[in-house]
Amino acid sequence: MAAGAKRVEQLDRVVIRFAGDSGDGMQLTGDRFTSETAQLGNDISTLPNFPAEIRAPAGTLPGVSSFQVHFADYDILTPGDAPNVLVAMNPAALKANLADLPAGADIIVNTDEFTKRNLAKVGYATSPLEDGSLSEYAVHPVGLTSMTIGALSELGVAKKDAERAKNMFALGLLSWMYSRPFESTIRFLERKFAKRPDLVAANKAAFQAGWNFGETTETFAVRYEVKPAKMRPGTYRNITGNQALALGLVAACVRSKLPLFLGAYPITPASDILHELSKHKRFGITTMQAEDEIAAVGAALGASYGGALGVTTTSGPGVALKGETISLAVALELPLVIVDVQRAGPSTGMPTKTEQADLNMALYGRHGEAPLAVIAPKSPSDCFHAAIEAARIALTYRTPVILLSDNYVANGSEPWLLPEAGELPDLSVSFASAPNTEDGRFLPYLRDPETMARPWAIPGTPGLEHRIGGLEKADKTGDISYDPANHEFMVRTRAARIEAIDVPDVEVEDADENARVLVLGWGSTYGPIGAACRALRQRGLPIAQAHLRHLSPLPANLGEVLQAYDKVVIPEMNLGQLAHVIRARYLVDAVPFNQVSGLPFTAATLESMLEDVVKNG
């Protein structure tokens, strides 16, 4: 696979989208290309996009699966708005993605799939490869299927298995085009198909055939290179949000010196956290796949009662089912981390599409006055630190914490700088070990004056017997109480305990300190907002950006920050849930900008909207 004499051009960034049928292996292809790119030291950001159906009808628009990867020689914030290159494995993939392409984009099409039957499935009366409708693009017709079958003809591989290897042919071609290393992909194939030597040989041969095709054909006269990005020194790995969140929980387990228990019921897009955590039993982690969502959170809360760090992972429908037990955790004042990887709703909604519409449920979605802490990571790698922060708050303040990730963050990936273990916060806790009154009694609701947290007493500790349950507790003693004054006191005390949580001030990015418009975001909108604001500043338009990790309690300085600007704009992937909170709490006429398409904002969409706000007020 040595390099040939073809011309090499330097690029600063590229966006590639692999698209095909659900069975064409586009997620695997994109993931391998991303891994190759990470090895070169480029900054990367990815966007997997696939249907919820396990196997939608082949060759149809609902069955199209895609994987977009953006890589560059500088810091990037999003997976890119528009692909520079589209690899379309069939007519459906072409039609589903064509509208996203800018003029001049490269389209590599698998001509073998452009049959009359496949064209008719997606409404093409004539082939777009022949009718001139693609004239504004650089189209590269390649018989990916037939060339793969030909390359494997001497290996004795069944035709069906040979056809399935066409994604490796495409990966080999793109790896050649963009000067990606190939050794890791070869090792990956050897591991993945270790029990099937014939498939190892087939996929390796297909990959090499794609590389060699790029090297020898006249169709591709140029190779491209994207130099490594200038990044902080250290060891990096490519990581998805779900992987980072799971490793953050592992770190919290180690730094708290507590066993960690995960009770979970499989649900898209949170299941990968369960899969990842189950690999780390050696750190004192126990994972349980429960029979339903209610059992999962009940087991997690029981683990916390027994002295573990209880965690449950789910998506929006699961949080709805867990509501009563979360309220029980509020009343018991025990640590519990609830991870909600949001997806498009309501009801089953669109399980593989993204949304930020669970904020209201996280803040208010329980019966009675049941306040708790809510935080949200801003990017895939930030999920690691958000998980540790969720554990810190839960353990320190004896409260449930909802961590609001979403499908975009959970399945997207980016480089993650591995932290030094000693730099992670100390999450050690002290359990109650003796009576806490002068007369030798144990009062389970006698509070720490600083954190307002009650003592955490492990069941079976002599002398610390106390009552638990969902009925209202009497102050200090924890006895059942129907006293009106006590109930009001406990309700207000639980609310005050959440407001007492120590969270950092919100930071504002205002390069020239003369902006009059502030863009306020939370969660995964960080990347598109940041890219849009960066583009506007480069064009000389002043604009400020602030981003919230802590949504309950809100940062103490947020009101002061909001009042410093003439206009506050809040982009969200919902119908304005944070905007409603900001308006109600701070009496600021925040301008919502909302999208609920199942896809993240593009930076271009936000840039256009924000430019209008900055110029016209």
Side-chain angles (χ1 to χ4, degrees):
M1 298 185 184
K6 292 190 177 181
R7 181 164 55 91
V8 176
E9 288 186 6
Q10 296 291 330
L11 300 174
D12 62 352
R13 60 178 289 273
V14 179
V15 180
I16 298 174
R17 184 180 296 174
F18 298 91
D21 195 64
S22 292
D24 286 336
M26 294 296 93
Q27 303 305 314
L28 174 63
T29 306
D31 183 68
R32 290 314 312 159
F33 190 90
T34 300
S35 295
E36 294 174 354
T37 298
Q39 289 182 60
L40 282 182
N42 298 129
D43 196 17
I44 53 178
S45 181
T46 68
L47 178 62
N49 188 9
F50 44 87
E53 291 77 13
I54 294 174
R55 191 69 171 90
T60 63
L61 292 173
V64 173
S65 173
S66 68
F67 189 105
Q68 183 162 303
V69 54
H70 181 193
F71 57 104
D73 64 4
Y74 59 89
D75 172 45
I76 57 175
L77 298 171
T78 74
D81 291 353
N84 307 111
V85 182
L86 171 66
V87 179
M89 303 298 280
N90 59 22
L94 176 65
K95 189 166 189 176
N97 293 281
L98 190 60
D100 295 337
L101 300 183
D106 287 295
I107 304 177
I108 299 172
V109 289
N110 180 14
T111 55
D112 294 324
E113 295 297 319
F114 277 69
T115 63
K116 288 185 178 180
R117 182 183 179 188
N118 286 344
L119 290 167
K121 283 183 181 180
V122 294
Y124 278 129
T126 60
S127 173
L129 305 181
E130 300 171 354
D131 63 10
S133 60
L134 302 179
S135 59
E136 61 180 314
Y137 308 105
V139 180
H140 306 280
V142 181
L144 292 175
T145 305
S146 57
M147 294 180 72
T148 302
I149 293 173
L152 307 186
S153 59
E154 296 183 2
L155 296 179
V157 179
K159 183 179 178 182
K160 190 174 183 179
D161 288 335
E163 290 179 350
R164 287 175 176 168
K166 63 182 180 290
N167 64 323
M168 288 297 107
F169 188 103
L171 178 60
L173 173 58
L174 269 295
S175 297
W176 172 84
M177 283 181 65
Y178 291 95
S179 308
R180 305 292 95 181
F182 56 83
E183 294 84 357
S184 65
T185 294
I186 298 300
R187 292 193 297 270
F188 168 81
L189 293 173
E190 291 171 346
R191 292 193 306 271
K192 181 175 178 62
F193 301 110
K195 296 181 180 180
R196 291 284 306 273
D198 56 329
L199 294 185
V200 172
N203 282 277
K204 287 170 63 174
F207 181 87
Q208 182 154 359
W211 182 288
N212 292 342
F213 176 72
E215 186 87 337
T216 58
T217 184
E218 295 182 1
T219 303
F220 301 98
V222 181
R223 296 182 75 190
Y224 302 96
E225 287 184 353
V226 179
K227 293 182 178 179
K230 294 180 180 179
M231 305 171 79
R232 287 175 54 194
T235 301
Y236 288 81
R237 62 166 285 188
N238 183 47
I239 199 166
T240 67
N242 275 345
Q243 290 172 332
L245 203 153
L247 294 180
L249 291 174
V250 173
C253 172
V254 173
R255 297 296 287 173
S256 66
K257 303 179 183 64
L258 295 176
L260 184 145
F261 176 88
L262 173 70
Y265 180 77
I267 183 171
T268 301
S271 299
D272 285 342
I273 303 171
L274 169 62
H275 303 159
E276 182 66 30
L277 272 181
S278 67
K279 303 174 184 176
H280 301 290
K281 295 180 177 65
R282 65 188 183 279
F283 292 107
I285 291 172
T286 301
T287 56
M288 183 187 81
Q289 179 175 319
E291 67 268 26
D292 57 45
E293 295 281 4
I294 299 173
V297 68
L301 181 57
S304 288
Y305 174 61
L309 173 56
V311 181
T312 188
T313 54
T314 187
S315 189
V319 177
L321 290 168
K322 296 177 191 293
E324 183 179 3
T325 306
I326 297 172
S327 287
L328 176 60
V330 171
L332 295 180
E333 300 187 34
L334 286 171
L336 178 67
V337 175
I338 305 105
V339 176
D340 176 4
V341 186
Q342 300 167 94
R343 69 191 204 186
S347 189
T348 308
M350 297 191 294
T352 60
K353 308 303 178 184
T354 197
E355 207 162 87
Q356 288 182 301
D358 292 351
L359 178 58
N360 280 343
M361 181 165 63
L363 293 173
Y364 312 117
R366 290 160 297 285
H367 56 286
E369 293 288 345
L372 46 67
V374 181
I375 68 172
K378 66 183 181 181
S379 69
S381 64
D382 189 49
C383 287
F384 175 84
H385 302 285
I388 295 175
E389 175 67 353
R392 178 191 74 85
I393 293 173
L395 294 171
T396 303
Y397 297 91
R398 311 285 196 265
T399 178
V401 179
I402 293 181
L403 191 158
L404 286 176
S405 178
D406 65 49
N407 187 65
Y408 173 37
V409 163
N411 289 316
S413 65
E414 65 180 357
W416 172 48
L417 175 62
L418 272 64
E420 295 292 334
E423 296 176 357
L424 298 177
D426 182 358
L427 303 181
S428 300
V429 298
S430 297
F431 293 112
S433 58
N436 54 5
T437 64
E438 292 182 359
D439 59 2
R441 291 186 300 157
F442 174 64
L443 299 179
Y445 283 83
L446 184 65
R447 302 179 182 281
D448 181 289
E450 183 176 342
T451 65
M452 301 181 69
R454 76 175 186 90
W456 193 359
I458 304 301
T461 306
L464 304 190
E465 296 82 1
H466 60 284
R467 184 188 299 273
I468 66 164
L471 294 174
E472 182 61 284
K473 314 292 183 296
D475 179 36
K476 297 183 178 63
T477 67
D479 294 337
I480 294 173
S481 174
Y482 288 92
D483 178 66
N486 177 80
H487 178 57
E488 175 140 354
F489 176 81
M490 294 298 282
V491 167
R492 293 185 180 278
T493 299
R494 287 189 288 261
R497 181 170 48 95
I498 299 303
E499 289 301 318
I501 293 172
D502 180 27
V503 303
D505 283 347
V506 65
E507 297 181 357
V508 180
E509 185 178 340
D510 186 354
D512 300 320
E513 298 185 352
N514 62 347
R516 305 315 311 154
V517 174
L518 172 71
V519 190
L520 182 67
W522 69 276
S524 65
T525 57
Y526 173 79
I529 291 174
C533 290
R534 178 188 291 177
L536 290 173
R537 292 189 196 104
Q538 289 174 346
R539 293 164 50 199
L541 296 175
I543 193 164
Q545 177 187 2
H547 203 77
L548 295 175
R549 165 178 280 178
H550 297 86
L551 297 156
S552 174
L554 291 163
N557 71 327
L558 181 57
E560 179 183 348
V561 167
L562 296 174
Q563 295 293 341
Y565 293 89
D566 296 339
K567 187 78 69 175
V568 177
V569 182
I570 304 180
E572 297 180 82
M573 292 186 292
N574 56 44
L575 294 183
Q577 295 183 16
L578 178 62
H580 294 159
V581 171
I582 295 300
R583 284 179 164 188
R585 178 150 185 172
Y586 299 103
L587 303 181
V588 169
D589 188 20
V591 179
F593 185 74
N594 307 116
Q595 173 178 302
V596 282
S597 64
L599 294 172
F601 285 108
T602 65
T605 297
L606 293 180
E607 182 182 349
S608 176
M609 178 273 296
L610 293 172
E611 179 180 6
D612 182 65
V613 173
V614 171
K615 289 182 175 179
N616 303 315

